[in-house]
Amino acid sequence: MASLVLQGRPASAGLAAGPPMRLAADETVSGCRTPHADSEKEVADLRTAIETATNRLQALIARVDAHAAQIIGFQIALGKDEDLCQPIFAAIRQGAAADEAWRGAMNDEIETYERSQNEYFRARASDLKDLRDQVLACLFGVTAAEAPPGGAVMVGTDLSPSRFLSIDWKAGSALVLTEGSATSHVAMLARARGVPMIVALQGDVPVDATEILVDAVDGTVMVGPTDADRQQFQRRMESDAAQRVAIEKSAYRPAVTRDGVAVTVSINVADVTELDSLDPEVCDGVGLVRTELLFADASAQPAEDAQYEAYRHILNWAAGRPVVVRTLDAGGDKPIAGLTIDGERNPFLGVRGVRLSLVRTEPFRVQLRALARAAVHGNLKVMVPMVTVPTELEAVRSMFQEEVGMLERDAIAAKVPPLGMMVEVPAAAIAPEVFNADFFSIGSNDLTQYVTAAGRDNEAVGKLADPLNPAVLRLIANVVRYGASAGVDTSLCGDAAADPNVLPALLSCGLRSISVGIASVGRVKAAIAKLDLSAMKSGAPTTA
Ligand code: PEP
Ligand code: MG
């Protein structure tokens, strides 16, 4: 039988081979049950199903990190929402089957979320689908897979974060979805846990397929491979595994170019649990903590103590190495319900980052207090996103000082940490000398989108958003030059630093400190070791 190759988009790189295993939700959504003659019994069945599903979610909360717990908390709250459930029970009393009434009401709710202008609410639609399916699974007595049998590939339309987290991926191998997105919560979780994942697969894996080869580097799924395909893929998997070992070894070496130039390599952290299995020896510190992930839902915004504990946890992990925590960068592509401004015409040019923090000062002051308290326990630095004019940074500094003053009056240990800024708005990159910042961190993701006028969320202009554009590199070199002359430490924490095609150009701009995603540390250090800066012309780097 000829093999079939389906194309999708890689969301978490890696290779895997095994039998496809369908996500339970796919079958349960389309089921159809005959209602009890006594409608009260039908209502009771649905109540039990909702209760079982929310109890399972509740049990899951203890096993996940704070961010995932917030997502699950939202689902539980919805399951217990009487305003949502009462009309469903009423429909059952009118003769509808429990699954029909529940599915109908939830689909309406999901549609409302999907139609929302607000990206945050749209993203919540998959959490609602998950709750819908979990309750349906309970109604039909189907148990969701807790662990795919060794080497199985989970296949489905979409998957919610809670379902992802309920699966024991140590035993599984990969995830393939016909929908989904590479920027979803699930993709982020898959990358952090090293689970190969493909989204937007063009076509279904046939139900009778017994083996598939998942190439989540190129984004392909091969169904029914021949012996030759299988052997070739096996060789790739072996060389991939060997490469990973070599890369992991590189992570422990200092990053030094062939001609002896040392580069500081720090890590970007999106989720505190990412540090659990990481040895701090592999990096020079934490160059960026994206705290907006602690604020995924403003209604469940972490209290000062919870934030303080999270920051302390990172400082403890770093064991004296510098930790740069960025204050909340909500807005743009990261709206937070109840916090960011709704209905902005162009959110990337709107009330985002520090602009929002200076408008919504109360949650911001909570964060500053937590940071000031954590600052006495380690090498903490705080960085402000989206700074455009010096008064923004000065306003933050004054607020920090006020909060520290109040904490000290209450005999609570606190201090104002070094205060730096992201350089990601062209105005700041063109005239860095006007800012009184303790350090700079160049945000190449936003700097590139603003310099090239190409939205980072718009695939259609993706090619234009190129950090190798000479205009972008010139601005980066400008900031690095000014930082060196004024004694202001300058680093870069955007994705460009982890891109082997861009890294040489960044180093030839004079940059000697970068911060990259955890999974990229070994690869980036290995790439640095191959470079000879003395042989590079400015703006025209060469690799060995
Ligand atoms: C950047 O803009 O490069 C950056 C690191 O910040 P974020 O990607 O979180 O906007
Ligand atoms: Mg940014």
Side-chain angles (χ1 to χ4, degrees):
M1 187 185 90
S3 52
L4 162 74
V5 178
L6 300 168
Q7 184 69 50
R9 279 215 304 135
S12 171
L15 306 173
M21 187 175 157
R22 239 144 267 277
L23 291 160
D26 288 349
E27 284 93 51
T28 55
V29 181
S30 53
C32 201
R33 109 191 206 124
T34 317
H36 280 289
D38 177 353
S39 64
E40 285 311 318
K41 279 199 177 142
E42 193 69 5
V43 168
D45 278 2
L46 181 57
R47 275 195 191 280
T48 309
I50 295 173
E51 205 179 301
T52 311
T54 50
N55 286 348
R56 278 183 192 164
L57 288 167
Q58 193 67 53
L60 199 58
I61 281 192
R63 288 166 38 198
V64 300
D65 57 74
H67 178 227
Q70 279 179 10
I71 296 169
I72 297 171
F74 164 75
Q75 295 175 315
I76 295 175
L78 208 90
K80 292 189 171 158
D81 183 351
E82 282 298 311
D83 288 346
L84 175 79
C85 292
Q86 281 312 330
I88 302 176
F89 297 148
I92 296 174
R93 291 189 179 103
Q94 301 281 316
D99 61 319
E100 182 195 349
W102 170 257
R103 191 186 293 113
M106 287 301 284
N107 285 348
D108 289 349
E109 196 79 5
I110 289 161
E111 223 184 286
T112 311
Y113 274 70
E114 281 175 341
R115 275 204 310 266
S116 170
Q117 296 289 321
N118 184 315
E119 193 181 327
Y120 171 81
F121 285 116
R122 285 201 303 277
R124 281 282 144 114
S126 69
D127 302 338
L128 287 179
K129 282 184 193 160
D130 180 40
L131 177 70
R132 175 196 64 193
D133 297 343
Q134 297 218 26
V135 171
L136 288 172
C138 292
L139 262 180
F140 286 99
V142 178
T143 320
E146 275 288 299
V153 179
M154 301 302 272
V155 176
T157 48
D158 203 353
L159 185 68
S160 69
S162 73
R163 287 291 307 286
F164 181 92
L165 292 163
S166 73
I167 293 170
D168 181 2
W169 292 101
K170 279 188 224 96
S173 58
L175 174 63
V176 173
L177 302 173
T178 49
E179 294 179 8
S181 116
T183 53
S184 66
H185 285 125
V186 175
M188 202 181 76
L189 293 170
R191 285 193 290 272
R193 283 159 179 76
V195 178
M197 175 178 173
I198 292 177
V199 295
L201 192 73
Q202 308 283 298
D204 285 316
V205 173
V207 274
D208 57 350
T210 53
E211 185 186 12
I212 57 176
L213 307 181
V214 178
D215 178 346
V217 177
D218 290 338
T220 59
V221 172
M222 183 182 280
V223 184
T226 61
D227 283 347
D229 293 331
R230 197 178 294 112
Q231 277 161 18
Q232 197 190 17
F233 197 76
Q234 194 60 38
R235 279 197 294 276
R236 273 189 68 199
M237 283 174 74
E238 278 158 19
S239 95
D240 188 59
Q243 221 179 342
R244 270 171 206 267
V245 172
I247 282 173
E248 270 163 30
K249 277 194 194 145
S250 306
Y252 277 93
R253 297 197 191 112
V256 182
T257 62
R258 273 174 54 210
D259 53 327
V261 177
V263 179
T264 299
V265 178
S266 305
I267 54 165
N268 295 347
V269 175
D271 174 352
V272 179
T273 58
E274 286 178 88
L275 301 175
D276 290 351
S277 53
L278 187 73
D279 185 345
E281 289 294 319
V282 302
C283 66
D284 296 307
V286 176
L288 167 65
V289 179
R290 288 182 161 101
T291 59
E292 47 284 356
L293 291 175
L294 296 171
F295 291 79
D297 181 348
S299 62
Q301 181 186 321
E304 182 183 320
D305 281 351
Q307 288 193 51
Y308 163 71
E309 292 301 339
Y311 304 143
R312 270 198 76 174
H313 180 80
I314 303 172
L315 287 167
N316 285 344
W317 176 87
R321 295 170 183 79
V323 172
V324 180
V325 174
R326 183 172 73 185
T327 60
L328 192 65
D329 183 23
D333 58 338
K334 293 176 280 196
I336 293 183
L339 191 67
T340 42
I341 315 290
D342 266 344
E344 283 188 301
R345 269 172 180 262
N346 194 338
F348 274 120
L349 300 182
V351 186
R352 191 198 150 185
V354 70
R355 303 169 183 183
L356 182 73
S357 295
L358 294 177
V359 174
R360 305 261 201 256
T361 53
E362 194 32 49
F364 186 51
R365 283 181 181 275
V366 171
Q367 181 169 41
L368 295 183
R369 277 197 296 275
L371 287 166
R373 287 169 56 196
V376 297
H377 298 290
N379 191 353
L380 178 72
K381 299 172 180 208
V382 171
M383 161 160 91
V384 185
M386 284 295 289
V387 174
T388 311
V389 291
T391 48
E392 290 167 327
L393 194 61
E394 290 327 305
V396 175
R397 201 184 289 281
S398 306
M399 287 164 89
F400 236 140
Q401 282 157 353
E402 283 164 22
E403 292 306 324
V404 168
M406 283 189 270
L407 287 163
E408 282 172 347
R409 273 197 289 286
D410 292 339
I412 297 171
K415 70 173 191 185
V416 178
L419 188 65
M421 59 182 264
M422 297 278 299
V423 179
E424 52 188 349
V425 175
I430 292 166
E433 70 283 358
V434 303
F435 298 92
N436 180 23
D438 294 330
F439 62 94
F440 293 130
S441 184
I442 300 168
S444 54
N445 304 338
D446 278 311
L447 186 61
T448 304
Q449 80 158 339
Y450 292 131
V451 170
T452 61
R456 58 194 278 191
D457 60 342
N458 189 345
E459 200 59 43
V461 291
K463 284 211 175 84
L464 288 176
D466 179 3
L468 286 174
N469 185 307
V472 177
L473 290 177
R474 212 170 286 178
L475 290 189
I476 291 173
N478 187 48
V479 179
V480 172
R481 204 167 33 239
Y482 169 72
S485 70
V488 181
D489 283 348
T490 302
S491 188
L492 185 145
C493 62
D495 289 359
D499 184 337
N501 296 320
V502 184
L503 181 64
L506 296 177
L507 297 186
S508 63
C509 286
L511 199 68
R512 295 293 178 267
S513 173
I514 56 174
S515 190
V516 299
I518 290 169
S520 304
V521 173
R523 198 167 38 77
V524 163
K525 286 189 176 181
I528 289 171
K530 285 190 191 149
L531 294 172
D532 182 354
L533 291 183
S534 64
M536 285 184 192
K537 283 194 226 114
S538 175
T542 54
T543 53

